[in-house]
Amino acid sequence: MDRIDHKIITLLAEDCRRSLADIGAGVNLSPSAVNERIRRLTASGAIRRFTVEADPEALGLPVTAFIWVALAPDSDEAAFRSFAQTRPEISECHHVTGPWSYLLKIHSPSLAGIEAFLSTLKERRFLARSETMIALSSPVDPGFSPRGDL
Amino acid sequence: MDRIDHKIITLLAEDCRRSLADIGAGVNLSPSAVNERIRRLTASGAIRRFTVEADPEALGLPVTAFIWVALAPDSDEAAFRSFAQTRPEISECHHVTGPWSYLLKIHSPSLAGIEAFLSTLKERRFLARSETMIALSSPVDPGFSPRGDL
DNA sequence: GCTGAAACGGTCATGAC
DNA sequence: GTCATGACCGTTTCAGC
């Protein structure tokens, strides 16, 4: 993972469809050398996946919400984590320091969808308490990259 | 934006390097028809960009932090927004409901980097107050897609 | 939106350093 | 071990329908 690998990842992040020749011109390497580096970066996990950033609104998900979750004392934390991984509306789930257990980022078609999601958390007895903040606008946002089939 | 466009975006999100023929097989369309749809989805902004998801740790950014920001009463909010857009360590910036003005997601090489970032916010007189939470682990996280040159 | 042909680009074997 | 060259072949692209 040297400076060249770094540059390659930056170039791919901007546009992962540029040709190996283009990238090679940017890092003074032949297409095949670039290809080999990309193969290694992908194999090592430095590049997780080639994907598209979509506009959540275009996908019918105009509401972005952040939910602070305090897990119920008797809840199964491993179960919560796998729950989070299987719900496509959760685009992020972080175990964080501070008074809350987890921070979730949710994409939803409507506020009613957020309410329904909170109901699900309650039904499954994960929640001790929670706090929800709605994103009004997002000057910087990676958007949405659907995991699974939505 | 019909069901087929939706499916195409989902398939591209999983792996945007699959061939038009592969995608076509998944949606019962010819490669050229798929290509035309992708072109339209990109032109309309439904697909923002073709990119790679990188592992922040591999890029030397093992620390993920969320910073709640309350803007100083006399601060220039437009300036804060463009500041946020130009700082590569900010991977998300959301204007949110609730007691705080903004939520930032930061990738940093170290805790010292977070401290330095907070100092910058103070120096620029953006901050009334802030609260920082460090991500301990992330069961669901899109990772990092470098904007700009880092 | 499909078909078919042409241009392009990714891939891999080979050889140099 | 890493990289460049060049030929092969799958893929994208575009014209015509």
Side-chain angles (χ1 to χ4, degrees):
Chain A
M1 190 66 194
D2 56 10
R3 222 192 73 264
I4 293 180
D5 284 335
H6 213 96
K7 182 92 182 274
I8 289 175
I9 289 180
T10 302
L11 291 169
L12 288 174
E14 282 172 15
D15 178 9
C16 74
R17 291 201 298 185
R18 38 168 50 107
S19 70
L20 297 175
D22 269 11
I23 298 169
V27 297
N28 285 96
L29 240 48
S30 73
S32 68
V34 173
N35 197 28
E36 174 60 14
R37 279 172 178 264
I38 292 176
R39 197 196 57 71
R40 275 205 305 268
L41 288 169
T42 306
S44 73
I47 295 176
R48 287 189 190 154
R49 61 171 178 168
F50 288 75
T51 186
V52 290
E53 266 185 31
D55 176 4
E57 292 205 27
L59 268 55
L61 302 166
V63 178
T64 301
F66 292 92
I67 304 179
W68 290 109
V69 171
L71 284 184
D74 61 340
S75 68
D76 179 349
E77 190 154 348
F80 175 75
R81 282 170 175 255
S82 45
F83 166 80
Q85 281 161 357
T86 56
R87 297 286 297 206
E89 64 264 62
I90 302 180
S91 71
E92 299 185 35
C93 172
H94 305 273
H95 190 198
V96 289
T97 61
W100 301 96
S101 316
Y102 285 89
L103 174 61
L104 304 178
K105 182 182 182 189
I106 307 287
H107 292 280
S108 173
S110 63
L111 287 177
I114 302 290
E115 189 178 14
F117 178 76
L118 287 168
S119 297
T120 305
L121 287 181
K122 277 177 209 156
E123 274 163 25
R124 302 218 179 191
R125 311 239 171 250
F126 287 132
L127 276 191
R129 62 190 203 288
S130 72
E131 251 179 46
T132 302
M133 269 90 166
I134 307 294
L136 300 168
S137 66
S138 301
V140 184
D141 189 27
F144 190 55
S145 208
R147 301 171 302 113
D149 58 1
L150 287 185
Chain B
M1 190 67 193
D2 56 10
R3 222 191 72 265
I4 293 179
D5 284 335
H6 212 97
K7 182 92 183 275
I8 289 174
I9 289 181
T10 302
L11 290 169
L12 288 175
E14 282 171 14
D15 177 10
C16 74
R17 291 201 298 184
R18 43 168 45 110
S19 71
L20 298 175
D22 268 12
I23 298 169
V27 298
N28 286 97
L29 239 48
S30 72
S32 66
V34 173
N35 196 26
E36 174 60 14
R37 279 174 178 264
I38 292 175
R39 198 195 57 72
R40 275 205 305 269
L41 288 168
T42 306
S44 74
I47 295 175
R48 287 188 190 157
R49 61 172 177 167
F50 289 74
T51 186
V52 291
E53 266 183 31
D55 177 2
E57 292 204 28
L59 268 55
L61 302 166
V63 177
T64 301
F66 292 90
I67 304 179
W68 291 107
V69 171
L71 285 184
D74 62 340
S75 68
D76 180 348
E77 190 154 350
F80 176 75
R81 284 171 174 255
S82 45
F83 167 81
Q85 281 162 357
T86 55
R87 298 288 295 207
E89 65 264 61
I90 302 181
S91 71
E92 300 186 35
C93 172
H94 306 274
H95 190 198
V96 290
T97 61
W100 301 96
S101 316
Y102 285 89
L103 174 60
L104 304 179
K105 182 183 183 188
I106 307 287
H107 292 280
S108 174
S110 63
L111 287 177
I114 302 289
E115 189 178 15
F117 178 75
L118 287 168
S119 297
T120 305
L121 287 181
K122 276 176 209 154
E123 274 163 25
R124 303 217 179 192
R125 311 240 171 247
F126 286 131
L127 275 190
R129 63 190 203 288
S130 74
E131 253 179 45
T132 302
M133 269 92 166
I134 306 294
L136 301 167
S137 66
S138 301
V140 184
D141 189 26
F144 191 54
S145 208
R147 301 172 302 113
D149 58 1
L150 286 185

